[in-house]
Amino acid sequence: MGLQQTTPDYLYQCRAAQRAEQEQSLASTDNWAHVDKPQVHADFDAFYQELAPLIDAHAPESEAIQALMEKHFAIVARFYVPSRDAYVGTVLFYADNTDMKAFHNAYHPRMVEFLGDAAYTYALQNLQ
């Protein structure tokens, strides 16, 4: 089951969790002063470059993709360790924000949709 098959209530819950956890993290860390932002950007770029060529050949829930999603979660967790719902909310933010969607889809036209389903699967299998 992909992210598109969930309920609007669940999607709202994930977006709310992401906003709340992110706001709390920003407030308690001086706007993520602890994060090496240039390194995070480089690591996200490397991740997306690794993921993009696999999108057309693999399902989001495949073993190969889920192994990669562990890398994505680890990069996200440098800011704060999100709950299951907040992690799903993070990829929803990528889809909801025009600039973030364009940024991600520049790597592959289906990046945001694929990443949403892959993160959803990862969250259900690995996060509380």
Side-chain angles (χ1 to χ4, degrees):
M1 179 166 116
L3 193 54
Q4 294 80 18
Q5 285 77 44
T6 61
T7 67
D9 286 344
Y10 176 73
L11 299 177
Y12 176 82
Q13 174 182 315
C14 291
R15 287 178 174 102
Q18 186 270 340
R19 278 191 306 273
E21 291 179 30
Q22 179 176 298
E23 287 173 11
Q24 190 279 326
S25 176
L26 284 164
S28 67
T29 63
D30 191 26
N31 292 317
W32 295 326
H34 66 288
V35 177
D36 181 346
K37 291 175 184 77
Q39 185 62 56
V40 165
H41 290 225
D43 292 344
F44 269 132
D45 179 63
F47 169 79
Y48 295 131
Q49 298 233 16
E50 188 175 1
L51 179 61
L54 302 177
I55 290 174
D56 293 328
H58 296 275
E61 64 276 2
S62 72
E63 191 174 313
I65 298 303
Q66 288 304 299
L68 276 179
M69 291 310 295
E70 192 169 326
K71 289 182 183 181
H72 184 264
F73 182 80
I75 298 168
V76 169
R78 291 185 207 169
F79 295 92
Y80 69 97
V81 180
S83 66
R84 174 189 290 171
D85 288 351
Y87 184 55
V88 173
T90 297
V91 294
L92 291 172
F93 173 74
Y94 297 167
D96 294 343
N97 180 285
T98 304
D99 291 337
M100 290 296 281
K101 186 172 186 174
F103 168 79
H104 286 86
N105 283 349
Y107 288 95
H108 186 285
R110 292 190 316 114
M111 178 65 78
V112 168
E113 176 187 346
F114 188 88
L115 192 58
D117 288 340
Y120 176 67
T121 299
Y122 181 85
L124 290 180
Q125 293 176 355
N126 298 287
L127 304 178
Q128 299 278 329

